[in-house]
Every structure is written in C-alpha cells, then in structure tokens.
Amino acid sequence: PNIPSFTTNFFSNTAKIISCAIDTIINPHDSYSVRLARPDDTILDTQVLNDASSFFLQFTESDYGTYDYKLLLSKWTITSTSNPNIPPESYWVDTVIATHTQLFPRPEPTFTTSWTKSGLTINANLSSIVGAHPEFYAYLCRDDGTTLATHQFQTDQVTTSLAFTEVDYGTFDYQLKLGTSLVSSHTATYTPPPIPTFNVALTNDDLAITATLTDIVNPDPYYTVSFY
C-alpha cells in the first residue's frame, strides 16, 4: 500500500496529560499504525490506520516535569524465505514523524499565613499547606529583599514557621515570599523595656570610689550602667 500521510498536533489541556491529534489522513491502511513513544522507544499509545477518521493519541504522566515524546509511523513487516525450516519473522519498521517536548509545571503550594512575635523574634507561620513539594521554597525577607530565613517545603507538609531574631528594638517591615512571589507583608514594632530608675550613692575610701545603686526599678539586660 501507499505510505499514509497525515497532520499532527501535540497539546496538553490537562495537567500531566499529553495528547496528539492525527488529522487529514491520506492513504490509510491497516498494515500501518501511528504510535506515541518516548525517545527510548517505550510505546505510550498506538492506533491502527485502518480508515481516514481523525483520532487522538494520549498518555498520562505520573508526575509533573519536562518530558520528550516522538510520534512514529510504524509498518508491520513480515519476512519469509523459501527455506521451510526458517520461520517467518515479523517486526515493526518505524519512521519518526514528529518530536515534542512538554513541560507540566507543578502547581505552587497554597497556605494560610499569620504573623507572631515574641521578644525580638518575628515568626511567619504557614498553616493549612496544600501541595507542598521540595521543588518550592518560602523566604522571610525585609522589604528591601534581604533574606532573613529560608524554608524548603517537604512532601505532604501541612504546617511550618520561619523565624528571625532582631538585634535591637525598633520598627521593621517584613515580607513572606513563595519563590519570587510576594505572599504576605507585615510590620512589627519592638518597644524597648522601660528605663530603669534607682538611687545612687557615691563613697570614697582612700583612692577607691564606689557608686552604689539602690531601690532599682525595672531592671533589664537591655540597659547598662557605666561609671566615668
């Protein structure tokens, strides 16, 4: 029979599913098949060209990622000899009609964000995480883009927290990012403790001078007393 011809169109309308439309078929014959395969010749789907009706070849991948495909026009061939002791052989003769590379992007994780602080430590809390995967990272940043903490998601993780401790009191602006996408912003003010009060008595003995502090109120390690 004459070699069939047709048009091809690779596409993906659903995540992880590759499809290839076979249209405008000329010279169909049931000794030919169209086969969807991987580059290593693993066959994913096939159909015999027994008529001129358009059809689809399709395959569903088990995970997201980038995959290479090829489309084969295959003829079932049988060889025989005049020697009756040699049985006939049958096999596919393949011709590559088209190749295609398809990216199935993994959906980004979704989650709920809340902010808490304790002392000088800020916490960005992620809860109700859906779709966590090690391919994705969350970043706790300043508003100028400086990264303060990083978290790599783990498969099936549902909660996590990113934390950073400031070295001094003040008001700071934070951002939580999923990759490069801004997810949440937060401003936190850290108020220093009240200034301690006390009474001071200075005494001297020969060449030694002593400052004695009594009745101290609101002591805190944030403050120091210096004697000059």
Side-chain angles (χ1 to χ4, degrees):
N2 293 325
I3 298 175
S5 64
F6 45 83
T7 61
T8 64
N9 179 36
F10 283 92
F11 64 94
S12 178
N13 293 332
T14 306
K16 298 189 290 186
I17 298 179
I18 185 66
S19 301
C20 184
I22 309 300
D23 296 308
T24 319
I25 302 172
I26 300 174
N27 297 324
H29 191 276
D30 59 10
S31 64
Y32 287 91
S33 292
V34 180
R35 305 198 291 173
L36 178 65
R38 297 203 188 280
D40 64 359
D41 292 328
T42 300
I43 303 301
L44 306 178
D45 195 12
T46 184
Q47 180 155 329
V48 177
L49 280 178
N50 52 9
D51 59 45
S53 300
S54 301
F55 60 90
F56 296 92
L57 297 178
Q58 194 172 82
F59 182 75
T60 301
E61 300 290 352
S62 61
D63 200 2
Y64 299 94
T66 300
Y67 297 91
D68 294 320
Y69 305 98
K70 63 182 178 181
L71 196 66
L72 304 175
L73 177 60
S74 303
K75 186 177 188 301
W76 187 244
T77 302
I78 299 175
T79 61
S80 61
T81 67
S82 58
N83 188 342
N85 296 321
I86 301 177
E89 294 183 356
S90 58
Y91 53 89
W92 288 107
V93 175
D94 296 324
T95 301
V96 178
I97 300 300
T99 60
H100 180 74
T101 298
Q102 182 69 43
L103 169 64
F104 298 111
R106 187 180 304 278
E108 292 185 341
T110 60
F111 47 83
T112 300
T113 306
S114 62
W115 298 85
T116 57
K117 66 183 179 72
S118 176
L120 289 171
T121 300
I122 188 69
N123 293 276
N125 307 301
L126 282 59
S127 60
S128 303
I129 303 172
V130 177
H133 189 273
E135 183 178 326
F136 297 97
Y137 291 80
Y139 301 94
L140 174 61
C141 307
R142 297 208 187 277
D143 59 347
D144 64 1
T146 303
T147 300
L148 306 177
T150 302
H151 174 74
Q152 182 180 17
F153 288 93
Q154 301 302 312
T155 303
D156 299 327
Q157 184 177 32
V158 294
T159 62
T160 191
S161 182
L162 289 81
F164 179 75
T165 301
E166 301 288 354
V167 297
D168 204 353
Y169 296 90
T171 298
F172 302 92
D173 295 318
Y174 302 102
Q175 295 179 342
L176 181 68
K177 293 183 178 181
L178 178 60
T180 59
S181 301
L182 178 63
V183 176
S184 179
S185 299
H186 182 73
T187 299
T189 298
Y190 306 93
T191 304
I195 298 175
T197 61
F198 45 83
N199 295 322
V200 181
L202 294 174
T203 58
N204 68 289
D205 180 11
D206 196 9
L207 292 178
I209 184 81
T210 300
T212 302
L213 281 60
T214 59
D215 302 323
I216 302 173
V217 178
N218 297 323
D220 191 279
Y222 178 68
Y223 296 99
T224 60
V225 175
S226 301
F227 190 24
Y228 296 89

